[in-house]
């Protein structure tokens, strides 16, 4: 279990149901009380222990003394014309991080979660990278993004949502806390978000892909590929120098996946950089032996960025080529262009205006 930063009380959202039950038992309470507390937290989104009216008074006193459930808050919220909403969270140690609520087709929702404040990976197209790395989010700080947004959106507990660990940070660089979060989110007596609905998106740290595979969590995996040559990929994602494209492909080949699923390869389309049919051809050759799906993403330009959004015709031609060659492929529109929905943009703007809160 992981203690929240800067507080002597433990964030209750850090704990799995089992851990909470053991904690209560050791303190002299009945283990089943943990289920009741989980029910309040994850079904009613109730964070005030005193309002949990089926708990005995001495348990409420114990919870108030040793736990906190309110040390993170929504600091800002911006809604896009396309329905996506970006949330800025504030931690108790006065830092901020983001999550995005994406409305997909047919009443389907996806939450894009942050796993770190800042990031060490340093991708050249990413605003989060500019501010450097600050710290890992605790499991509870990751989990809370889901609780707060479901509550804010009035989404009932049983409304299925998809989770992608694709916000600020490299999730495999904070694997222990992300793993703990996956266990908490998938708890049947809690939010009950199946591991199959949870996707870890990584910049491709090959040894950590291996480690994730060995944990065999059952989550989906997405790789931010973005280039078909090591030269370009190193420009875009500098850690490619340490773990090049072939090293990633080798790890993917050994990664355990659900037989009905495919490994997702994210390919950020950047005007004039990687959007030619020559690139598409190389991509087909590269993924030849992998059960893959490619997601083409329009680059979402931000101030000061050297890159531009690609032309629609080129993205569509790229996709057509992949499909003709038998490679599964979708195009993801940039959601929230009017609200700085790309990774790190809202936080960056807030810091520029006010400094870190
Ligand atoms: S794109 Fe992701 S991995 Fe790359 S620097 Fe930004 S947050 Fe880190």
């Amino acid at each position: 279990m992981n203690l929240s930063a800067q507080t002597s009380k433990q964030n209750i959202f850090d704990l799995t149901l089992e851990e909470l039950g053991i904690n209560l038992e050791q303190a002299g309470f009945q283990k089943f009380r943990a289920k009741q507390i989980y029910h309040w937290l994850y079904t009613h989104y109730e964070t005030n222990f005193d309002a949990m009216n089926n708990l005995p008074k001495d348990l409420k006193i114990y919870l108030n003394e040793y736990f906190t459930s309110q040390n993170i808050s929504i600091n800002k919220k911006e809604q896009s014309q396309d329905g996506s909403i970006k949330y800025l969270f504030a931690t108790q140690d006065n830092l901020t991080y983001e999550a995005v609520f994406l409305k997909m087709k047919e009443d389907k929702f996806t939450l894009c979660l942050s796993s770190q404040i800042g990031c060490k990976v340093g991708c050249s197209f990413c605003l989060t990278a500019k501010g450097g790395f600050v710290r890992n989010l605790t499991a509870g700080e990751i989990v809370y993004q889901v609780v707060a947004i479901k509550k804010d959106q009035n989404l009932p507990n049983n409304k299925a949502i998809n989770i992608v660990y694709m916000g600020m940070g490299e999730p495999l660089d904070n694997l222990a806390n992300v793993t703990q979060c996956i266990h908490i989110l998938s708890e049947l007596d809690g939010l009950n978000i199946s591991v199959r609905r949870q996707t870890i998106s990584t910049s491709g740290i090959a040894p950590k892909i291996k480690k994730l595979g060995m944990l065999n969590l059952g989550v989906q995996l997405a790789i931010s590929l973005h280039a078909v040559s090591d030269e370009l990929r190193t420009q875009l994602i500098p850690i490619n120098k340490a773990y090049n494209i072939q090293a990633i492909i080798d790890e993917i080949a050994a990664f355990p996946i659900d037989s009905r699923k495919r490994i997702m390869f994210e390919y950020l389309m950047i005007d004039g950089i990687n959007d030619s049919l020559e690139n598409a051809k190389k991509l087909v050759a590269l993924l030849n032996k992998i059960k893959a799906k490619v997601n083409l993403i329009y680059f979402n330009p931000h101030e000061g960025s050297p890159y531009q959004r690609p032309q629609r015709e080129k993205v569509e031609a790229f996709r057509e080529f992949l499909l003709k060659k038998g490679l599964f492929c979708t195009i993801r529109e940039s959601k929230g262009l009017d609200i700085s929905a790309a990774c790190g943009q809202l936080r960056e703007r807030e810091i520029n205006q006010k400094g870190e809160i």
Side-chain angles (χ1 to χ4, degrees):
M1 73 179 67
N2 303 294
L3 285 174
S4 293
Q6 305 287 311
T7 175
S8 54
K9 291 184 183 183
Q10 176 147 35
N11 182 356
I12 201 155
F13 291 107
D14 280 334
L15 300 187
T16 62
L17 179 61
E18 180 64 16
E19 287 169 345
L20 182 57
I22 291 170
N23 180 296
L24 296 185
E25 245 183 348
Q26 286 172 349
F29 298 99
Q30 288 163 297
K31 202 174 176 185
F32 82 90
R33 295 290 182 191
K35 271 194 187 179
Q36 291 179 313
I37 296 167
Y38 245 61
H39 194 70
W40 281 109
L41 294 172
Y42 296 111
T43 301
H44 298 296
Y45 313 128
E46 178 59 69
T47 54
N48 179 358
F49 299 135
D50 291 326
M52 300 179 179
N53 59 23
N54 55 354
L55 302 185
K57 203 173 164 196
D58 56 348
L59 178 52
K60 289 180 190 170
I61 292 170
Y62 174 76
L63 292 173
N64 280 312
E65 192 170 349
Y66 293 102
F67 289 97
T68 178
S69 57
Q70 297 171 331
N71 60 350
I72 308 155
S73 54
I74 294 176
N75 184 255
K76 191 161 187 159
K77 182 175 147 184
E78 284 190 354
Q79 173 141 17
S80 163
Q81 285 167 6
D82 64 24
S84 54
I85 300 172
K86 178 161 263 199
Y87 289 83
L88 191 70
F89 290 90
T91 65
Q92 209 179 32
D93 51 341
N94 288 339
L95 297 169
T96 50
Y97 61 102
E98 305 173 353
V100 190
F101 175 72
L102 299 160
K103 290 188 179 167
M104 315 306 272
K105 285 179 208 151
E106 296 156 17
D107 199 29
K108 290 204 167 89
F109 304 107
T110 294
L111 286 186
C112 179
L113 305 183
S114 289
S115 55
Q116 297 180 309
I117 298 179
C119 185
K120 294 176 193 161
V121 175
C123 300
S124 61
F125 51 83
C126 171
L127 258 184
T128 298
K130 279 196 173 171
F133 175 70
V134 182
R135 71 166 170 85
N136 283 332
L137 289 175
T138 64
E141 287 169 335
I142 307 172
V143 167
Y144 189 72
Q145 297 169 83
V146 184
V147 175
I149 294 174
K150 283 194 89 172
K151 180 178 183 181
D152 190 62
Q153 291 296 317
N154 284 320
L155 290 181
N157 170 272
N158 61 1
K159 175 73 198 162
I161 55 169
N162 295 314
I163 300 291
V164 286
Y165 299 89
M166 199 193 256
M168 292 165 58
E170 163 54 66
L172 295 188
D173 248 353
N174 186 16
L175 187 54
N177 290 347
V178 169
T179 301
Q180 176 82 346
C181 171
I182 290 164
H183 290 316
I184 295 167
L185 295 187
S186 57
E187 171 57 53
L188 288 175
D189 288 304
L191 286 165
N192 191 15
I193 302 172
S194 158
V195 287
R196 282 197 215 99
R197 287 188 173 274
Q198 299 189 48
T199 302
I200 290 187
S201 173
T202 175
S203 57
I205 305 174
K208 294 192 178 174
I209 294 173
K210 184 180 199 152
K211 204 167 168 191
L212 178 67
M214 284 159 69
L215 290 173
N216 213 357
L217 298 170
V219 290
Q220 308 308 309
L221 182 64
I223 306 290
S224 298
L225 190 64
H226 307 331
V228 289
S229 74
D230 279 322
E231 193 190 348
L232 176 59
R233 194 164 190 274
T234 302
Q235 272 177 43
L236 297 174
I237 309 176
I239 55 147
N240 190 71
K241 232 182 188 168
Y243 313 113
N244 66 13
I245 294 175
Q246 195 53 51
I248 297 169
I249 298 289
D250 290 347
E251 284 309 333
I252 293 301
F255 191 83
I257 54 162
D258 185 320
S259 57
R260 292 162 297 174
K261 299 283 182 181
R262 293 170 182 272
I263 302 278
M264 172 82 82
F265 286 85
E266 307 281 358
Y267 193 94
L268 190 65
M269 299 285 285
I270 307 174
D271 186 41
I273 301 283
N274 62 358
D275 57 351
S276 69
L277 283 182
E278 192 53 36
N279 282 271
K281 206 169 160 185
K282 286 185 183 156
L283 186 56
V284 170
L286 195 65
L287 302 183
N288 191 21
K289 294 198 176 104
I290 293 175
K291 207 171 162 201
K293 177 179 173 179
V294 175
N295 195 15
L296 301 176
I297 309 164
Y298 281 91
F299 176 66
N300 199 358
H302 53 79
E303 217 182 300
S305 159
Y307 306 120
Q308 297 304 320
R309 182 180 164 87
Q311 294 160 8
R312 180 170 292 276
E313 306 76 54
K314 283 182 100 173
V315 177
E316 276 165 10
F318 199 107
R319 174 173 176 257
E320 280 308 305
F321 184 87
L322 298 190
L323 288 174
K324 260 191 216 148
K325 298 290 175 188
L327 196 51
F328 254 67
C329 180
T330 50
I331 296 176
R332 195 171 84 214
E333 291 290 340
S334 291
K335 293 253 178 197
L337 277 175
D338 50 331
I339 58 155
S340 334
C343 177
Q345 289 186 13
L346 179 58
R347 175 173 175 259
E348 172 82 6
R349 216 181 55 216
E350 282 294 289
I351 291 174
N352 285 342
Q353 282 170 5
K354 301 181 191 162
E356 193 67 85
I357 64 160

